[in-house]
Amino acid sequence: MTLRTLLSAVLAATALAGCATPTLRGSGDLGVVIERAAGSLQVVQQQPPASLARVRGLGDLSHASLVYSRDARYVYVFARDGGLSKVDLLTGTLQARVLQAGNSIGGAISSDGRIVAAQNYSPGGVKLFDADTLTLLADIPAQDAAGQSSRVVGLADLPGNRFAFALFDAGEIWLLDAANPCQPAITRYRGIGRQPYDGLASSDGRYYIAGLFGEDGLALLDTWHLDAGVRRILPAYGQGETRLPVYKMPHLRGWSLAGDYAFFPAIGQSQVLVADSRSWQSVAKVPVYGQPVFVMAEPGGRRVWVNFAFPHNDTVQVIDVPSMQVVHTLKPGRSILHMEFTARGDAVWLSSRDDDKVVVIDTRTLAVRTELPAANPSGIFFSWRAGRMGM
């Protein structure tokens, strides 16, 4: 055996010894729980509920989110410190990590699964990466007409390898076409409203909606009619009402389409806003226990679940869609930060940050199925997201 052959064999054996061998299984019933204080995530199995692995070294996860690869094997984690990590769910290992910005709050993956996009607060802008290697493909600064940089929020994927996002400081929505990811094309919609703080895409990719923190209402872009520009919806909500101090910003990614209606969390009010999902006209305001953060529909659409900002964040309420009434109030734990339904809606998983646990609730009986230990859990993300737009 030559020295080169021997060295190659030793290196190969060393590499194999440091790798976990994946269990022969599918990824369709897996998920991830973010452990924000520890900078780690748990890989979990949905049924029966169980923790399978813990992946550490993911940075500042105080405002972490993630997206799945098309095959639901990998997750791409966007950390508050600007880190972008690729994690293998089947081996429970960190595959790659790049520090791509100073402050990042989320991202998206393209419709063909080849491009991961990160949205950044500092220095602002959007960066595109190769999903396999995390190689940088493009760096798109977010600047207004005067050349001032802006924080980017609400990045969402759209059909045809496109992305939409909002510029918080500039009051703009941008549509990014990544057909050529190294030279993406940008369409800018200016003057859409003051301080868009988050954005979302409808599940069919037709609508992109940005919430406005600086004024009442939301801004809607219909991607089937791009020449029509951005129009305002729910422009009068909150008028004549006292706005409460905002302890936690609502998350528009937690909005809901249920039946013929869209449900939105109201800013600074103890209300859930309801709009007709065709005309986008206001049809109801549902009074709830506190300021809503996530407003999420069960997969069947009959009920909508709501969690709340401090000091009401130990509570979850359930709204019956036909009657537009709260029908259940639950107290599952302290600081309920996130909710995630199983793909067919038989259970909902709730993260209880201050109790260091995840609570699994049967949606039919509302009984607690089980609790799993987790270190300051926040976001819960199941692998069904791999096949959904805007997730």
Side-chain angles (χ1 to χ4, degrees), residues 48-115:
S51 176
L52 303 180
R54 178 174 278 109
V55 182
R56 305 181 188 276
L58 303 181
D60 180 358
L61 301 186
S62 59
H63 193 289
S65 64
L66 60 84
V67 294
Y68 278 83
S69 62
R70 277 176 63 113
D71 61 5
R73 175 168 181 173
Y74 301 98
V75 292
Y76 301 90
V77 184
F78 306 94
R80 190 73 192 223
D81 59 9
L84 169 60
S85 301
K86 181 180 180 180
V87 173
D88 185 336
L89 297 186
L90 296 188
T91 62
T93 56
L94 177 61
Q95 297 292 295
R97 175 173 163 81
V98 295
L99 195 63
Q100 58 87 31
N103 189 334
S104 181
I105 61 166
I109 190 166
S110 61
S111 53
D112 66 4
R114 296 186 301 111
I115 306 162

Side-chain angles (χ1 to χ4, degrees), residues 41 46-47 56 86 104 136 142 145 152 176-177 192 236 264 279 312 328 341 352 365 379:
L41 61 79
Q46 296 174 47
Q47 186 59 36
R56 305 181 188 276
K86 181 180 180 180
S104 181
L136 180 66
V152 171
L176 185 156
D177 187 336
I192 60 98
F264 300 95
S279 68
H312 302 105
H328 300 290
F341 291 96
S352 176
T365 65

Side-chain angles (χ1 to χ4, degrees), residues 304-359:
V304 171
W305 292 55
V306 188
N307 72 331
F308 302 100
F310 177 86
H312 302 105
N313 55 4
D314 64 342
T315 301
V316 173
Q317 289 192 309
V318 183
I319 297 171
D320 175 64
V321 171
S323 66
M324 299 291 181
Q325 299 290 322
V326 172
V327 290
H328 300 290
T329 298
L330 310 177
K331 300 278 187 177
R334 296 180 298 163
S335 296
I336 302 298
L337 297 189
H338 199 259
M339 304 178 288
E340 182 82 335
F341 291 96
T342 54
R344 299 192 182 189
D346 61 293
V348 60
W349 289 44
L350 310 174
S351 59
S352 176
R353 182 194 63 194
D354 292 354
D355 286 332
D356 291 316
K357 67 181 181 181
V358 171
V359 184

Side-chain angles (χ1 to χ4, degrees), residues 189-231:
Y189 297 89
R190 306 188 190 277
I192 60 98
R194 293 196 303 272
Q195 296 178 324
Y197 71 91
D198 197 6
L200 56 93
S202 58
S203 58
D204 60 3
R206 176 175 179 177
Y207 298 106
Y208 177 79
I209 302 173
L212 302 175
F213 184 69
E215 58 187 284
D216 291 332
L218 302 95
L220 181 144
L221 177 66
D222 183 344
T223 65
W224 290 10
H225 304 286
L226 292 174
D227 291 342
V230 174
R231 68 185 178 99

Side-chain angles (χ1 to χ4, degrees), residues 173-190:
I173 290 175
W174 288 15
L175 186 65
L176 185 156
D177 187 336
N180 180 350
C182 296
Q183 294 182 315
I186 303 291
T187 303
R188 299 167 176 83
Y189 297 89
R190 306 188 190 277

Side-chain angles (χ1 to χ4, degrees), residues 206-207 209 218 220 222 231-235 257 259-262 264 274-284:
R206 176 175 179 177
Y207 298 106
I209 302 173
L218 302 95
L220 181 144
D222 183 344
R231 68 185 178 99
R232 189 68 53 85
I233 62 173
L234 305 181
L257 279 174
D260 297 325
Y261 305 106
F264 300 95
V274 187
D276 184 290
S277 61
R278 295 158 299 184
S279 68
W280 298 103
Q281 298 297 309
S282 176
V283 296

